[in-house]
Amino acid sequence: MDTEHADSVETARRGLLSWEAAATALLALAAVVLFGLGTTFPQVRAFGYVPMVAGVVITWSANRRFARDHSIITACLALISAISVEADISWTNIARMGVVLSAVVVGPWLVTRYVFDDRTIQFPRRRGRPWSRFEWAWLAFVVVVAWAVLPQYFMRTGVYLNWPPLDGWSEILRLFFGVNAVGIWDELFFICTVFALLRKHFSFRTANVFTTIIFVSFLWELGYRSIGPLLTIPFALVQAFIFTRTKSLPYTVTVHLLFDALVFLTIVHAHHPQALPIFIGV
């Protein structure tokens, strides 16, 4: 067993009773304030940087090997927080988000691989192994559940109004592009990057919970508010399990995009119910 792996195992055994866990909890708290509370109450947003900085100080004081991975995640979240990720399908915002969100995926991969010689961040394709019957069945299950639940959530709570009105085909196409692009990015960043880096140092459960808190906070600013976390928390927890179990990024992304396809159709239906009458009970 090499030294790095031994350190990872030792840290994972410490679980929540460690400086590493305390620093990551502070980072998760920072995400809640920056993307969650800070969206609803803009006056508190700046306070999110306090636990973020405190977490960095703790990691570099306690465990430098862990600190470099923690600092990568912190830098990415700080960069994302510099822009607004609220639903905005103007071309200017699409371009701005595209640059920033691409940077926080490509940057950590380049740094870990070519600076630290670390291959933790990977995008596995599981070549030569077809999807199992259960995996195909799960895709069907996701579609049915999303079709039944998402319209109730979006329309009964009114959160579809967090997305811009769709006055023409140009806006509908931009919404389709944006929803799918962000869906793919979610898996590349939160699962392949954040979860993967945390998984080096914590148990699956602990890494998954920390990643979920950060992910759900981001989704809150994106527009999934009201009772949204009741839906996004289980989704985030399951996605990490699927990725770990299948070792297939394409499959994990497919699950996400099927879910997001129903998100897109729901938002269009909410704005133009007569044009897209495919849901019942709303």
Side-chain angles (χ1 to χ4, degrees):
M1 179 182 293
D2 59 46
T3 303
E4 181 170 352
H5 182 64
D7 288 346
S8 297
V9 171
E10 182 181 358
T11 305
R13 287 174 179 169
R14 293 174 189 167
L16 296 176
L17 300 178
S18 66
W19 287 112
E20 293 84 354
T24 309
L26 286 171
L27 182 59
L29 174 61
V32 171
V33 176
L34 288 169
F35 306 117
L37 290 175
T39 300
T40 307
F41 306 102
Q43 63 271 22
V44 306
R45 184 181 179 94
F47 291 101
Y49 295 106
V50 175
M52 180 178 284
V53 172
V56 171
V57 172
I58 289 174
T59 58
W60 284 101
S61 301
N63 183 339
R64 296 196 170 220
R65 194 177 298 277
F66 172 75
R68 75 183 188 191
D69 293 330
H70 180 276
S71 296
I72 288 173
I73 299 172
T74 300
C76 290
L77 294 181
L79 182 58
I80 296 171
S81 72
I83 65 170
S84 170
V85 296
E86 293 188 64
D88 178 355
I89 55 175
S90 66
W91 284 117
T92 300
N93 190 62
I94 289 174
R96 179 169 53 246
M97 286 186 64
V99 171
V100 172
L101 299 187
S102 296
V104 299
V105 169
V106 176
W109 180 79
L110 290 174
V111 170
T112 55
R113 178 155 298 200
Y114 295 106
V115 177
F116 300 141
D117 193 25
D118 182 346
R119 295 181 177 268
T120 298
I121 299 177
Q122 298 185 23
F123 311 102
R125 287 171 286 178
R126 201 179 72 174
R127 292 177 176 175
R129 291 179 55 194
W131 295 351
S132 67
R133 290 181 180 178
F134 178 81
E135 289 168 346
W136 281 105
W138 182 258
L139 296 181
F141 173 78
V142 168
V143 171
V144 172
V145 171
W147 174 81
V149 173
L150 288 176
Q152 306 298 326
Y153 162 60
F154 273 88
M155 298 183 68
R156 293 188 184 279
T157 63
V159 296
Y160 73 90
L161 296 173
N162 293 330
W163 279 259
L166 305 173
D167 297 326
W169 281 106
S170 175
E171 291 188 347
I172 292 176
L173 290 174
R174 275 181 277 155
L175 175 67
F176 178 79
F177 170 79
V179 168
N180 284 277
V182 172
I184 295 171
W185 176 83
D186 285 339
E187 302 303 326
L188 294 176
F189 179 67
F190 290 108
I191 299 299
C192 294
T193 304
V194 176
F195 172 73
L197 291 175
L198 293 179
R199 184 68 181 90
K200 282 175 58 180
H201 307 279
F202 299 106
S203 67
F204 169 84
R205 181 179 301 178
T206 301
N208 197 9
V209 169
F210 281 140
T211 303
T212 295
I213 294 171
I214 297 171
F215 180 33
V216 171
S217 299
F218 171 85
L219 291 180
W220 182 276
E221 181 173 353
L222 187 62
Y224 294 85
R225 299 169 197 167
S226 183
I227 61 170
L230 296 180
L231 301 178
T232 55
I233 288 174
F235 180 79
L237 291 171
V238 170
Q239 283 297 94
F241 176 81
I242 290 173
F243 180 76
T244 303
R245 183 68 179 268
T246 64
K247 295 180 174 60
S248 172
L249 177 61
Y251 181 79
T252 309
V253 168
T254 299
V255 172
H256 197 130
L257 292 186
L258 284 175
F259 189 86
D260 279 354
L262 272 298
V263 170
F264 166 76
L265 293 174
T266 298
I267 295 173
V268 173
H269 173 79
H271 288 287
H272 305 283
Q274 301 305 318
L276 196 66
I278 62 172
F279 300 107
I280 59 176
V282 289

